[in-house]
Amino acid sequence: MSLKSIAVLTSGGDSQGMNAAVRAVVRSALYHGLDVYGVQRGFQGLLNNDIRKMDLRSVGDIIQRGGTILQTARCEEFYSPEGQAKGAENLRKMGIDGLVVIGGNGSYQGANKLNELGIKTMGIPGTIDNDIPYTDFTIGFDTAVSIVVDAVNKLRDTMTSHERSSVVEVMGRHSGYIALYAGIASGAESILVPEMPFDLEAIAARMRENFQQGKRHSIILVAEGVGKGDDIAAKITALSGIECRVTVLGHIQRGGTPTHNDRILASRLGDFAVQRLVAGDSGKACGIIRGELVATDLDVVVKAKKEFDRSLYELSLRLSQ
Ligand code: ADP
Ligand code: F6P
């Protein structure tokens, strides 16, 4: 039986580019002659029947906007089989037979459960963390990295004026990818990530030596999965004798207009998800690997863990002397 009607929702931590992905899903669905619905507030909206029909104009003038017009939520009830069954039933009652879920690893778990209940589901990787396997990048990651790089550029000026060290705590939940990419791009002297061991004494000794040789600032990026920036800064100050200031970037990394990279990634993935559904595919996580669009079984993706890019980390060690 061919697909006639799909819905789209955004779930988990929001990310810049989610609106571009929603726009692509809606416009591609309409292009293929499907009815398309937007679910408000993630899986909670499924349970509350907070579902409205979308048209071309519903997604006008949003590609440049951060956040998500469908809003997002974390929904405890959806962890239960009863909640999942209720969500599937509500979709069926509206004659909706396909669903695109834009979110992170947790949202993919929910999407997989709906697929098992007969809803033809596609996942799109939407999170700034870039911690989803079977895709090189997630929607929002590029924008979050650009925000951190811009912040470090600003910090470098004032740290140089005062000949201080700056510890910058960045997001990523348990992933070090934002710290790694932003650290390399901003020329940080040290990058601390949960995936790799590090030696604060050696870092402090190198800082002291660099300052003695005339270096006038030091930038240390700390992924939140390593620990609190304040704690790391206190240890480094004690070990190096160099004054440290701490900046916790927090949710600033989750807002603002998406970069063109994220807008294009989101547009490609949103359209790809609809094309796969129209082709009769379901239960897949969409992604991009070496520039190619791929669809991988959700069953496989939810059980996998994204590998950390050690070669890029080793590059950062070679360049940040
Ligand atoms: P993210 O998608 O960014 O990883 P969460 O982990 O908070 O965010 O998950 C978002 C939502 O996905 C949760 O609030 C819940 O409704 C749903 N979800 C997460 N994990 C599961 C699971 N194992 N089974 C069913 N639903 C889940
Ligand atoms: O998963 C995205 C993310 O921004 C993480 O990097 C961060 O740890 C978490 O969400 C913050 O969650 P909340 O927005 O619920 O405070």
Side-chain angles (χ1 to χ4, degrees), residues 11-13 43 73-76 78-79 84 103-110 113 126-127 173:
S11 172
F43 294 118
R74 293 190 160 118
C75 172
E76 286 312 309
F78 209 72
Y79 286 88
Q84 295 149 21
N105 288 304
S107 304
Y108 274 19
Q109 297 270 5
K113 297 285 194 316
T127 171
R173 197 153 44 175

Side-chain angles (χ1 to χ4, degrees), residues 12-15 74 104 126-131 170-175 178 224-225 250-251 253-254:
D14 74 324
S15 73
R74 293 190 160 118
T127 171
I128 66 166
D129 297 354
N130 203 39
D131 61 348
V170 301
M171 279 187 160
R173 197 153 44 175
H174 312 302
S175 162
I178 294 174
E224 64 177 332
H251 285 72
Q253 297 161 91
R254 286 256 295 273

Side-chain angles (χ1 to χ4, degrees), residues 265-305:
L265 176 62
S267 300
R268 291 185 69 189
L269 286 170
D271 174 65
F272 181 63
V274 172
Q275 286 192 38
R276 294 310 313 149
L277 286 171
V278 167
D281 205 354
S282 67
K284 297 287 175 39
C286 302
I288 190 159
I289 295 179
R290 289 183 290 283
E292 292 300 314
L293 295 172
V294 296
T296 310
D297 283 351
L298 273 168
D299 243 353
V300 171
V301 177
V302 296
K303 295 186 184 89
K305 189 167 167 31

Side-chain angles (χ1 to χ4, degrees), residues 9 11-12 42-43 46 75 77-81 83-85 87-88 91 99-123 283 298-299 302:
L9 66 82
S11 172
F43 294 118
L46 272 192
C75 172
E77 193 183 346
F78 209 72
Y79 286 88
S80 71
Q84 295 149 21
L91 286 169
L99 177 69
V100 177
V101 173
I102 304 167
N105 288 304
S107 304
Y108 274 19
Q109 297 270 5
N112 197 33
K113 297 285 194 316
L114 285 171
N115 193 66
E116 288 166 2
L117 292 167
I119 302 294
K120 299 187 183 318
T121 311
M122 281 287 156
L298 273 168
D299 243 353
V302 296

Side-chain angles (χ1 to χ4, degrees), residues 26-49:
V26 170
R27 295 213 166 155
S28 185
L30 295 170
Y31 173 85
H32 286 92
L34 304 179
D35 287 338
V36 56
Y37 294 79
V39 182
Q40 212 65 25
R41 297 185 189 79
F43 294 118
Q44 193 62 56
L46 272 192
L47 303 185
N48 300 346
N49 268 311

